[in-house]
Amino acid sequence: MLVCSLVLLVAVAAVRVSSRSGLPSLLIYLGIGVAIGQDGIGNVVFDNAELTQVMGYAALVVILAEGGLGTKWKEIKPALPAAIALSLVGVAVSVGVTAAGAHYLVGLDWRQALLIGAVVSSTDAAAVFSVLRKVPLPARVTGVLEAESGFNDAPVVILVVAFATVGPVDEWYVLIGKIALELAIGVAIGLTVGFLGSYGLRHVALPASGLYPIAVMAIAVTAYAVTAMAHGSGFLAVYLAAMVLGNAKLPHWPATRGFADGLGWIAQIGMFVLLGLLVTPHELLNDFWPAVVIGLALTMVARPLSVFISLLPFRLPWQEQALMSWAGLRGAVPIILATIPMVSGIEGSERVFNIVFVLVVVYTLVQGPTLPWLARKLNLRDNDEAAADLGIESAPLEKLRGHLLSFAIPPASRMHGVEVSELRLPAGASVTLVVRDGKSFVPAPSTVLRRGDELLVVATDPVRDAAEARLRAVARGGKLAGWLGTGSETAH
């Protein structure tokens, strides 16, 4: 227990190191696992690939749920067709080209080559955005990368399981049929569970605010479980269900988002440390150069070609395609998927795992720190300096048929300097309390709002949405914002 606590504390401290260095945190967590594992200072021998796979799947469900909750529909909607093309056509191209490189350049047999090609064809949102957090990108680029990372896990998992099955691999048209069926089941169940869950949470007042974050995560996990039982794509289902929940106006949303974010960090830390423990460092040396060669084929040929072919109908600028090609970072998913052939007992599966592990580490070290630089060189910074959105928390007042909205005015908000009367809230909504510098007071219509003020707004049921929309509009546009704002201002 003491060792686990120390590892968790070190891993949490590593988050700050990662934010300062620009390196994806997965490398630090993997390093912790390797350091306490075999050949490391802890010399802990761990070789249970089956347990690693189960724990990895559980962590991925949490990570995908957290990613879905943070996905804004307004940003992802325009990018959806391109992201779907990248997740299907792009994956097929990437698997074929990478497998050909592994077979002809490294000499792997076709099953091992196809396994590696499929395993490394899944991108990792956490790895991509952890190094791009200080380089705001245009919404279209962000939307495509984010949606692709959420969608492409599903077809890749299906391919890896098919290639890792003992015996002959199914014909290509059978694989396409399986992928289409499992994706359709995942979409149907994920959206259904998400909509039903959001409807229930909006219309049922739970006895304690702390139950809302737990309920949201439970609904997302339920989507995965139901879909898995129906032999569909559970990863796609959990992502879609979480995305629906994240874009619904749920009570106590900031608390829910913070809870999911913390749970996602814990899942990542535990998963990467466990994967680091599974590795035997001295066995990686023989597979270092094969991993580098396959990584070159993937990074310099397969990924750019898959982006070019997939996005050809959308006529995106070459600068955006170049960044998307370089932003195909691999993270947790490939390493976890590499345990599937080990569990299945496929010949040479240990070598597949070692190659994938080295490939992920080496190319994350190369690509991660250079992504912000490339975005600047390609002039893909987002110059829209719009104020940060309000984190409005809503608590239902069931017996009073109303809602209590609470939020703090962010530093960049254009609500700074606006008088309470200039908020122009709809009839039935009113600012009832302002907390400033630790002191609370009931505001007058002429009270000028400041950065850092915390506001309590009471709104009746019929005008709750309108009041929230107006607050978001003023936060972005100031006192001259159009009445009730626009659709883009109402999203979380």
Side-chain angles (χ1 to χ4, degrees):
M1 182 64 71
L2 178 60
V3 174
C4 292
S5 300
L6 289 175
V7 169
L8 185 59
L9 287 174
V10 172
V12 171
V15 175
R16 184 164 182 83
V17 175
S18 172
S19 65
R20 286 178 173 271
S21 65
L23 290 175
S25 54
L26 72 91
L27 294 179
I28 300 176
Y29 305 146
L30 282 174
I32 293 173
V34 172
I36 64 177
Q38 191 172 354
D39 295 346
I41 56 176
N43 199 28
V44 176
V45 179
F46 178 79
D47 58 0
N48 194 331
E50 187 172 0
L51 176 61
T52 303
Q53 180 183 321
V54 172
M55 297 299 293
Y57 273 29
L60 281 178
V61 169
V62 174
I63 293 169
L64 282 172
E66 189 274 330
L69 290 174
T71 299
K72 295 183 178 180
W73 175 245
K74 66 176 183 179
E75 294 179 358
I76 203 176
K77 183 180 179 180
L80 209 53
I84 292 174
L86 267 177
S87 302
L88 297 176
V89 178
V91 164
V93 173
S94 181
V95 171
V97 174
T98 307
H103 177 72
Y104 292 110
L105 299 178
V106 178
L108 298 179
D109 64 52
W110 274 113
R111 183 186 287 269
Q112 294 176 357
L114 286 169
L115 275 170
I116 290 179
V119 163
V120 299
S121 292
S122 178
T123 57
D124 190 306
V128 171
F129 293 110
S130 67
V131 298
L132 287 177
R133 60 192 175 276
K134 295 182 180 179
V135 185
L137 296 175
R140 179 168 59 184
V141 176
T142 302
V144 170
L145 290 173
E146 189 171 352
E148 180 202 8
S149 65
F151 293 157
N152 64 10
D153 291 345
V156 166
V157 170
I158 297 169
L159 287 175
V160 174
V161 172
F163 295 149
T165 302
V166 177
V169 178
D170 291 332
E171 299 289 346
W172 64 270
Y173 53 84
V174 177
L175 283 178
I176 292 177
K178 286 183 177 180
I179 291 174
L181 178 61
E182 292 193 23
L183 292 181
I185 294 173
V187 169
I189 295 179
L191 293 177
T192 301
V193 172
F195 281 117
L196 290 177
S198 62
Y199 179 84
L201 288 176
R202 282 173 57 86
H203 291 82
V204 176
L206 298 179
S209 61
L211 293 176
Y212 283 92
I214 298 174
V216 167
M217 293 303 295
I219 291 169
V221 173
T222 298
Y224 175 86
V226 173
T227 307
M229 291 175 63
H231 302 288
S233 174
F235 290 131
L236 181 59
V238 70
Y239 181 76
L240 290 176
M243 187 170 65
V244 171
L245 291 166
N247 286 273
K249 295 175 181 177
L250 300 180
H252 304 290
W253 177 247
T256 299
R257 190 72 188 91
F259 176 81
D261 190 45
L263 209 57
W265 275 109
I266 293 175
Q268 286 190 61
I269 292 170
M271 178 176 57
F272 288 128
V273 170
L274 196 62
L275 290 171
L277 277 172
L278 189 62
V279 168
T280 305
H282 71 264
E283 295 180 356
L284 300 177
L285 297 177
N286 293 333
D287 295 313
F288 180 82
W289 289 113
V292 171
V293 172
I294 296 173
L296 280 174
L298 170 67
T299 306
M300 307 307 295
V301 182
R303 174 66 180 181
L305 190 61
S306 66
V307 170
F308 174 76
I309 294 176
S310 302
L311 302 183
L312 198 58
F314 304 99
R315 300 182 179 180
L316 297 183
W318 70 267
Q319 294 94 333
E320 294 185 7
Q321 294 192 40
L323 184 65
M324 291 180 193
S325 299
W326 194 246
L329 285 179
R330 273 68 194 170
V333 178
I335 303 177
I336 291 174
L337 295 183
T339 63
I340 294 178
M342 296 176 68
V343 175
S344 300
I346 299 297
E347 183 179 356
S349 58
E350 290 82 4
R351 190 182 186 196
V352 170
F353 180 86
N354 290 339
I355 289 175
V356 170
F357 188 92
V358 173
L359 187 154
V360 169
V361 172
V362 170
Y363 285 91
T364 300
L365 279 170
V366 172
Q367 292 174 269
T370 57
L371 271 173
W373 172 85
L374 181 62
R376 289 191 294 270
K377 289 296 182 181
L378 294 175
N379 197 27
L380 288 178
R381 280 180 163 279
D382 187 3
N383 294 320
D384 181 12
E385 299 295 337
D389 198 7
L390 289 179
I392 299 179
E393 180 167 351
S394 172
L397 304 173
E398 190 175 29
K399 293 182 180 180
L400 301 179
R401 298 184 180 276
H403 291 266
L404 181 65
L405 309 179
S406 61
F407 62 92
I409 300 178
S413 176
R414 294 192 175 99
M415 193 177 285
H416 173 77
V418 175
E419 295 183 5
V420 170
S421 61
E422 292 172 332
L423 292 176
R424 290 184 292 164
L425 294 175
S430 176
V431 179
T432 58
L433 195 70
V434 174
V435 180
R436 178 180 296 167
D437 299 328
K439 299 179 180 179
S440 58
F441 60 92
V442 177
S446 59
T447 299
V448 178
L449 302 177
R450 300 178 184 174
R451 300 182 184 92
D453 283 356
E454 297 179 32
L455 276 66
L456 292 181
V457 177
V458 174
T460 59
D461 258 344
V463 302
R464 181 256 190 178
D465 290 346
E468 184 172 341
R470 178 59 188 167
L471 290 170
R472 294 186 187 279
V474 176
R476 290 182 177 274
K479 65 181 70 176
L480 299 180
W483 177 251
L484 294 186
T486 64
S488 63
E489 291 155 343
T490 63
H492 284 295

